[in-house]
Amino acid sequence: MSLKVLEEERGQWAVLRVSGELDLVTSPAVRQHVHDAVAEGRHSLVLDLSEVLFCDSSGVGVLIASRRLMRSCAGRLRLILPAQGAVDGSHVNRVLAALGVRRLFDCYPDLDSATAGHAATGPLTA
């Protein structure tokens, strides 16, 4: 399976909808999209991972590097993990939790809550 990254804007947020497999081969594309968004002056970024079916350590590395990049430019990074995935344990959710890095990210169940002004529903807990 390949990886797709679709870009859109939602108010002040740049949204990258990632689908497919996030692994050693495909993760550089996500990294590049994040860097491009920052280079364009976008410092509020949502990574929609609700359609990611597989994520290995390379994918996790890209998420951590993205977090570091956004923090270095006083930006914000939010991840979308589907509401059902937060209950069932979506693949990305399980991988982040197993590695002990889930708590590093602000995770939301859907795009509306992730891009809300102050995220009224708040992030999902680990």
Side-chain angles (χ1 to χ4, degrees), residues 13-51:
W13 293 91
V15 179
L16 299 178
R17 292 182 182 265
V18 183
S19 62
E21 296 182 355
L22 186 54
D23 59 19
L24 180 63
V25 174
T26 61
S27 59
V30 174
R31 181 185 310 263
Q32 188 61 53
H33 280 278
V34 171
H35 281 267
D36 291 348
V38 171
E40 294 168 2
R42 304 305 303 240
H43 294 172
S44 295
L45 181 65
V46 173
L47 290 176
D48 182 350
L49 305 175
S50 59
E51 298 292 323

Side-chain angles (χ1 to χ4, degrees), residues 70-81:
M70 296 311 292
R71 289 173 63 95
S72 74
C73 65
R76 299 179 291 172
L77 175 66
R78 294 179 177 173
L79 305 182
I80 295 176
L81 298 175

Side-chain angles (χ1 to χ4, degrees), residues 97-119:
L99 294 173
V101 297
R102 170 81 166 61
R103 62 183 170 71
L104 298 176
F105 299 98
D106 290 334
C107 299
Y108 295 82
D110 55 48
L111 186 58
D112 289 337
S113 61
T115 58
H118 296 292

